[in-house]
Structure formats: structure tokens, C-alpha cells
Amino acid sequence: MGADLSHEKVQDVTSSSNASPPQSTPRVKTAASRTRPRGPAVGIDLGTTYSCVAVCQKGKVDVLANDHGNHTTPSCVAFTDKERLVGEPAELLRGLNPENTIFGAKRLIGRRYEDPSVQSDLNHWPFRVAAGGGGEAKVHVSHRGLEKSFYPEEISAMVLSKLKQVAEAHLGRPVTQAVITVPAYFNDAQRQATIDAGAIAGLKVLRLINEPTAAAIAYGLNDSRQWKEKRNILVFDLGGGTFDVSVLTAQDGVFEVVATAGDTHLGGEDFDQRLVDQLTQEFKRKHKEDLSQCNKAKQRLKVACEKAKRVLSSNITAIVSVDSLYKGVDFHTTITRASFEDLCSDLFQSTMLYVERALEEAGIKKTQIDDVVLVGGSTRIPMIQRLLSQFFDGQDLCRVINPDEAVAHGAAIQAAILTGHRYQSLQNLLLLDVTPVSLGLETVGGVMDVVVKRNSPIPTKETRNFSTTEDNQNSLFLQVYEGERTLTKHNRLLGTVTLGGLQPAPRCVPVIVVTFHIDHNNILTVTATERCTGNQNQLTITDTRGRLDREEMERIIREEEEYWAQEKAEQEKNEALNSLEASTLQLKRVAVEEKALDDRAKRRVLEMCEETAAWMEGNRRAPKKEYEERKRELEDVCYSIITHFSSDGGDLSQMKGRGKC
Ligand code: AMP
């Protein structure tokens, strides 16, 4: 049975309403003082191509370097016969083991397999993606000799685990809480899946914040001006896979996002792909060979193109050189900045349309924008900077913040606030976020009735009264949609709420109250309540959006923990092997160099070292205990030989210097 909206808007009565002016409602602080979880909390920019972790301590933000010394870590996971690799080592395998090296999981997260965006990505990915039991997109790999499938949130969790380790190594204690950033256009399912990814990685997600918003927080703090006057900021965030434009206002340390626009499917990877396509054609022309069906060659070419693209941001030309690219043929060519710009010109130009759209939606003229903030690695491209500067009539662009780190930087500040830190520099910081898409209900004739308008500040609660369409109608069926079109058939169905057992009532009399509640993480709960009885039914959109169920989550978390336990055991075993090897080499050196040692003793020590070396050679995968026992035996025997057969009683200073080897 259908439902009819009475179009009577009931006033929001919740304390989390956005009706009051922001200055009088310090939302971030209120939330922080209410929950105030303990321990260090980090800010994580979980990017499509690269991710970044930062921590804010004593009012100062540190962007943390990983074990390779890099501040950003590739969001890439590789599966091999022996191990699982995350970050830089995984990225190196993109060319060598393309079918089992997963990147861009953020493009899949929270999406269904039939999603046109997933379908279009499939053409460019060397790894296999298939539909899971519930129609969700899953990646398939071969790992340790087994065929395995993973949800995208599992892959993201592996990246998050890596960043968690980076933070723990830096802080010297466990890290269990994080603020994670997501593109402004992420819908509810994508946000939920990101929270799940955090949980799998052992991180409580304190808050999801939009990437441009995080950048604005970082920018606000980095700016020496005090924001006494209201300023309009435009954040232009062009990363590896997503593009967001946000218009924000800032005053007295208060940020408000007034409009967002963007494309979840535009970024550096698209520019790389254009280069790959062009060079694949060039290879065909020059060498009469088509490499387009060879994943390995395509990936190796892509890695080379990405490097060349970066070079072109500072140089006029760049060389692409790949030895034995395909069928043993080497490929060397030179690209000019002009040809690269020509190749991607339409993509670059298209970003300006989104700038226009965001300004239009914010009701702000371009001349009213005080600051244009660049975020994301792709904003280093000179043509992008040129177009943007021209669009704003030659205005200087703000590059104070490192574009790769700004988002994690802002997330770290938000994490510090949420964990109750009260640094001078963080005082008065308040943040309002907005919902990226309109939410509403289907009414008679398939018309979308918008309950929460796109760009409404969140958290928010909106309530509508409903009436039945027939006399004595005993149930009501509500369909919840997201989207901007007038007819629901063009929008996206999020789920349904049915309220049964209604008391008899004439039609057109409002009997049901429907509440849309969007929390800090932009997650929607719809509640339908019968006025006279208080009967209620609720839909948290997660329930119907293919989010992992509890059992599945528990299984994945268990597997993830087992994996890290295995990895830890493997690392300890390697350390024990390394220690035995070091001890053997050290004893060998002592035997050779110790002049006071008689020849027989020397021979015996060397023999024992050789024996141990041979044993190690044949036992590379022995348990840690065996290496430790072997080391103890070797050291005990050699130590006593050296002590007894040395004319000076054995000068073991070299050994002792290493803690008895
Ligand atoms: P992000 O998602 O912000 O980490 O941005 C990653 C994207 O920025 C990748 O596509 C990189 O290839 C791209 N990128 C990084 N540095 C440069 C550069 N100097 N010139 C052009 N693109 C870059």
C-alpha cells in the first residue's frame, strides 16, 4: 500500500538539530566531552592510491613516515604464494604479479558488482572482481596456493592495519582509535563499509569526515591569520581516484561546508590511463605488437607512465623506458608536457565545471572566494593550477599545506579534539559537515519527496507527518531514496520501512511520524512511528545495503588477527635465523683472527660454524625454537673451546661486545 505525504513539516526538537547558529553550538566539543575515549587517536586519509596517517600531540601535527621513510603509503595489497604484502612492497609487484595485486579498493568499497562504476573499472583492472553472494563486489586472488576472495573493506582494512602499525611504531604504544576521511560524495554504504574496514583493522572509528573538510581544518590551523572576518574557501581536491570541490566558510575558527560537488571517478589514475592507452598505440605502431591483452605489460607500462606524469609537473619532457615490455621488445619514448596536457585536456577542463557547480550551489560568486586551497597529489599538475588560477582571474592558489598530507593532517586534529585534547591551537575549532546527497521518500506517482536536502549540515534530524491513502489502511510501506531527480525511478533505493497493525483511521489524516536522522558519520536511520500507539519500526540503512553481517565480520576479524599473528611469528622466526647466522659469522671471525687460539681449537670452531651454516641452508623454514637452540649450543661449545684452548684464556671481547654474539 502506498503513502501520501501531508507536507506538514514538524519542527525539529532534538538537541542535535542544526537550527541554532553554529557559534552557539560547539558540536565537536560537545561530542568530545560526551564520549571522550581514551588513548592516542590518529587521523587517517584512506586514499584510493595512497594513504597517510598523522597524529596531533601537544597541539602539533606529525605526519608519520612508514618503514620506507615515506609519508604516504600506497593503498595496495599483494598476495603471493608465501606472503601478503601491503604498501610499497606490494606496489612493486603490480607489474610482476598483476592478477594478485589489488589497488583502488576504495573504488569498490560499498558498491555492488553491477554498479556501472565497478563495471567500467573492470576493463582497466588486471585482478578479478566478481559478485559475492549478496551481489556485492569482491576481489579474487590466488594466495598461498589457494583461491581466495576478499571484500573491498577487507583490503582497505589491510591498508589501515599497515598505517596502524606505522603509528604504533612512532608512538610506542597500541593505537586503537582513528578519525578516517572519505570523499564528500561517498554514500551511506561506502561510509558504512569504511567503518567496517576500521573495525577489521582493530580501529574504533571515532568519526568519518569528508576529505575536503579535513583539509580545511588543516588549512585553518596553518594559517597565521585569526579568521576574525568571515572567509570563503574553495577546497579543490584532486587525488589519485576521486575529485571533490567544496565551498566552505570560516569565521572565528568555525568551518562550515556550504556546498560540495565532485566526481568519485576522476583523478591521477585516469591521467595515467590516458598515457597508457596512447603509448600502447605507439608500441603497436612501432613494433607491430599489441600488448593490450597482456596484464603484466600493461601494468609495467602504467607504473612507468605514472612516474613520467610526475616528472612532467616539474619538467617539460619525461622519458618512459621499459625494458622487455612485451615479447622481449624494449620500449623507450619521450613525452612532452604539451602532449600530456593535450591528451588529458578534456579531463582537466571538466574539473572546472565542478568548481562552477559548487559555487552555484553555495550561492557564492567566484569573486567572493578568498582562498583556493589545493589538495591531492594531482593538483601539482601545472595545467590544473593554470586553469584554476585563470578561473579565479589570476588569484594566487594556497599551497601552504603539503597537498598529499593536508587531509590526514586535518583528520589528526579532529581526532585530538574528539579524544578530549584541549590545546590552545585547537580551541574554538568547530566543524559542521553536510550531507552529500538529498534523501527522501517515494510518494504517490513515484515522486521523490525530499526530506533532507543535499548539503544540509549534519548531524540532523528531520520529521514528516504521513497519512494513509485509503480509509482504515492497516499498514504503511515507505521507500527511502537518495538522489537529486524528481522521480524516484531515477534515484537510488536505499531501503524500505513497513509499519503494520495501524489503528483504523480515515485517509488523509496524518497518523504516522517519519524521522530521518543522520549522525556525525553521515549515516541515516529512518524511523516510522504511529502517533496514537507509539508503534515503531526503524531502518538503519546499513541493514539493507549489503553491509557485512555480524558473523561475517567476526570471521574476517578473526582471519585478520590470525594473519597478523602468523606474520609476527614469521618475523620472530626470521629474527632467530638472522641471529644464528650473525653468531656463526662472528665465531668464524674470532676463530680466524684470534692469534692466541691453537690450531686444533680453531679447526673445531670453524667446523662447527660450517656445520651450522650447512644446517641453516637446508632448514630455512625451521621453527624459531630450533634456531634458538642451535645458537645456544653453538655458542656454548665454541665459547668453552675458545676459553680452554686459548693461551690468553680467550679474549672474547669481540663476542661480548655483541652480547655473547
Ligand atoms: P593522493 O590521492 O592525493 O595521494 O594523490 C595521488 C595521485 O597524485 C596519484 O595519481 C599520483 O600519480 C598523483 N601525483 C603525485 N605527485 C604528482 C605530481 N608531482 N604530478 C602529478 N601528479 C602527481
Side-chain angles (χ1 to χ4, degrees):
M1 274 185 220
D4 191 16
L5 277 177
S6 64
H7 293 279
E8 174 196 341
K9 191 167 173 183
V10 176
Q11 201 186 358
D12 184 358
V13 290
T14 61
S15 58
S16 62
S17 152
N18 292 295
S20 51
Q23 285 84 346
S24 60
T25 324
R27 245 171 286 275
V28 171
K29 284 185 181 174
T30 310
S33 54
R34 209 172 40 234
T35 47
R36 197 171 302 185
R38 286 153 192 249
V42 294
I44 296 180
D45 170 8
L46 182 60
T48 308
T49 43
Y50 291 92
S51 295
C52 185
V53 59
V55 66
C56 178
Q57 296 182 108
K58 299 187 179 140
K60 185 178 161 286
V61 175
D62 281 320
V63 177
L64 310 178
N66 63 19
D67 41 359
H68 294 255
N70 299 325
H71 284 167
T72 57
T73 298
S75 308
C76 189
V77 180
F79 298 88
T80 73
D81 283 348
K82 293 200 181 73
E83 58 194 339
R84 185 180 84 182
L85 300 163
V86 183
E88 280 88 350
E91 199 178 43
L92 284 177
L93 290 183
R94 268 179 77 163
L96 296 171
N97 182 22
E99 288 86 0
N100 300 306
T101 302
I102 313 299
F103 54 89
K106 190 171 169 181
R107 285 195 188 271
L108 286 177
I109 204 162
R111 288 186 192 272
R112 303 184 68 72
Y113 179 71
E114 316 87 65
D115 188 317
S117 146
V118 172
Q119 291 300 313
S120 116
D121 277 332
L122 295 185
N123 300 324
H124 301 299
W125 283 338
F127 49 86
R128 196 160 82 81
V129 179
E136 66 285 340
K138 287 183 90 176
V139 297
H140 289 248
V141 294
S142 158
H143 180 38
R144 291 187 172 137
L146 296 173
E147 289 304 307
K148 295 205 76 173
S149 69
F150 293 100
Y151 294 100
E153 44 269 57
E154 285 183 84
I155 302 292
S156 291
M158 293 167 198
V159 176
L160 287 172
S161 289
K162 177 79 193 171
L163 298 175
K164 182 176 185 277
Q165 281 179 359
V166 168
E168 286 174 346
H170 178 89
L171 294 165
R173 51 195 167 140
V175 169
T176 55
Q177 305 178 106
V179 167
I180 301 180
T181 60
V182 289
Y185 269 81
F186 254 25
N187 65 22
D188 186 73
Q190 291 165 305
R191 285 167 196 267
Q192 290 287 2
T194 306
I195 293 177
D196 284 350
I200 296 167
L203 287 169
K204 178 172 189 262
V205 180
L206 298 176
R207 180 81 54 91
L208 293 179
I209 55 173
N210 289 336
E211 288 158 6
T213 306
I217 301 175
Y219 185 67
L221 274 188
N222 279 355
D223 196 7
S224 55
R225 289 164 296 191
Q226 287 303 299
W227 304 104
K228 283 292 170 222
E229 302 294 318
K230 182 174 171 185
R231 297 185 76 81
N232 296 319
I233 310 164
L234 184 128
V235 180
F236 183 96
D237 181 352
L238 187 59
T242 55
F243 171 52
D244 289 293
V245 186
S246 303
V247 178
L248 302 100
T249 58
Q251 189 168 24
D252 294 331
V254 176
F255 293 99
E256 188 172 0
V257 182
V258 286
T260 59
D263 186 341
T264 50
H265 222 267
L266 178 64
E269 293 224 333
D270 300 294
F271 314 146
D272 301 343
Q273 192 58 46
R274 286 273 170 102
L275 275 174
V276 169
D277 292 345
Q278 158 108 343
L279 297 190
T280 301
Q281 289 306 320
E282 187 176 323
F283 188 84
K284 202 170 176 180
R285 252 191 345 267
K286 282 185 179 165
H287 304 289
K288 312 282 176 278
E289 291 288 358
D290 182 8
L291 61 80
S292 61
Q293 297 311 311
C294 174
N295 282 337
K296 211 179 229 177
K298 273 197 308 190
Q299 281 312 307
R300 290 181 65 215
L301 186 57
K302 193 159 184 174
V303 170
C305 285
E306 200 262 350
K307 283 197 184 117
K309 176 191 73 176
R310 287 178 187 243
V311 171
L312 289 175
S313 291
S314 48
N315 284 21
I316 296 297
T317 60
I319 292 169
V320 174
S321 175
V322 190
D323 286 340
S324 191
L325 174 60
Y326 183 59
K327 296 195 175 172
V329 180
D330 297 343
F331 184 55
H332 309 286
T333 191
T334 300
I335 313 165
T336 62
R337 188 188 285 174
S339 67
F340 171 62
E341 288 181 352
D342 185 54
L343 202 60
C344 299
S345 163
D346 59 322
L347 296 178
F348 295 165
Q349 304 267 3
S350 75
T351 62
M352 296 305 129
L353 300 178
Y354 292 102
V355 174
E356 271 172 18
R357 191 187 295 175
L359 286 171
E360 215 171 273
E361 215 154 279
I364 292 176
K365 293 196 191 75
K366 63 180 179 180
T367 49
Q368 293 173 295
I369 292 289
D370 299 293
D371 304 278
V372 180
V373 181
L374 299 184
V375 178
S378 299
T379 58
R380 291 199 169 98
I381 294 172
M383 184 170 171
I384 293 280
Q385 296 188 4
R386 216 166 51 234
L387 285 171
L388 204 53
S389 182
Q390 274 165 10
F391 181 90
F392 287 100
D393 304 322
Q395 183 173 346
D396 282 344
L397 309 175
C398 299
R399 289 174 253 184
V400 190
I401 323 161
N402 186 337
D404 306 319
E405 299 170 2
V407 171
H409 188 124
I413 293 167
Q414 177 78 92
I417 295 170
L418 290 174
T419 41
H421 294 288
R422 292 281 179 272
Y423 307 122
Q424 189 65 38
S425 53
L426 303 187
Q427 273 178 10
N428 300 323
L429 185 71
L430 162 67
L431 180 73
L432 294 180
D433 228 332
V434 296
T435 177
V437 62
S438 299
L439 296 155
L441 292 160
E442 184 177 81
T443 55
V444 176
V447 173
M448 168 94 167
D449 191 275
V450 174
V451 178
V452 180
K453 266 169 88 177
R454 175 175 143 84
N455 282 334
S456 300
I458 58 165
T460 189
K461 207 170 209 180
E462 294 284 345
T463 306
R464 292 286 170 95
N465 281 345
F466 267 82
S467 52
T468 49
T469 48
E470 291 168 22
D471 290 337
N472 301 325
Q473 188 175 319
N474 64 3
S475 71
L476 199 71
F477 179 64
L478 301 167
Q479 290 190 292
V480 183
Y481 282 85
E482 68 176 14
E484 310 307 323
R485 307 281 292 272
T486 325
L487 295 178
T488 51
K489 67 178 180 191
H490 297 128
N491 293 333
R492 215 149 83 92
L493 179 66
L494 296 181
T496 56
V497 195
T498 307
L499 197 60
L502 299 180
Q503 298 296 308
R507 71 194 164 106
C508 296
V509 175
V511 288
I512 309 290
V513 179
V514 178
T515 308
F516 276 50
H517 176 226
I518 304 176
D519 71 9
H520 283 105
N521 291 327
N522 232 327
I523 286 164
L524 170 70
T525 302
V526 178
T527 311
T529 312
E530 187 179 15
R531 266 185 167 173
C532 60
T533 61
N535 265 348
Q536 231 179 43
N537 200 0
Q538 202 172 65
L539 166 81
T540 296
I541 293 307
T542 57
D543 299 341
T544 56
R545 301 284 297 277
R547 195 182 176 196
L548 303 180
D549 65 31
R550 182 187 279 268
E551 259 177 41
E552 189 74 331
M553 271 296 274
E554 280 169 3
R555 176 190 67 77
I556 291 169
I557 291 172
R558 225 176 20 251
E559 276 184 16
E560 188 64 13
E561 283 168 356
E562 277 166 19
Y563 171 78
W564 286 112
Q566 269 172 21
E567 175 148 282
K568 192 161 168 256
E570 181 78 10
Q571 200 175 338
E572 285 173 358
K573 195 203 78 187
N574 287 340
E575 278 165 12
L577 172 66
N578 188 49
S579 174
L580 173 60
E581 198 151 27
S583 187
T584 312
L585 293 169
Q586 176 78 352
L587 281 164
K588 235 171 156 175
R589 222 179 58 226
V590 170
V592 171
E593 291 172 4
E594 180 62 74
K595 292 197 176 62
L597 195 62
D598 82 18
D599 283 352
R600 251 183 59 207
K602 252 183 205 191
R603 252 199 326 275
R604 182 69 195 117
V605 170
L606 286 174
E607 264 170 27
M608 284 205 63
C609 290
E610 293 305 330
E611 254 174 49
T612 309
W615 178 84
M616 276 191 289
E617 199 51 44
N619 291 278
R620 282 332 242 192
R621 305 198 68 78
K624 170 188 162 198
K625 234 171 108 193
E626 279 191 34
Y627 294 128
E628 288 172 343
E629 273 167 16
R630 201 88 199 191
K631 180 172 182 259
R632 216 170 13 252
E633 261 175 50
L634 177 77
E635 287 181 356
D636 285 351
V637 175
C638 291
Y639 180 84
S640 91
I641 294 173
I642 293 168
T643 316
H644 283 98
F645 294 91
S646 176
S647 57
D648 63 357
D651 175 11
L652 300 177
S653 56
Q654 294 176 71
M655 293 169 70
K656 281 177 180 156
R658 294 175 60 113
K660 201 189 172 193
C661 299

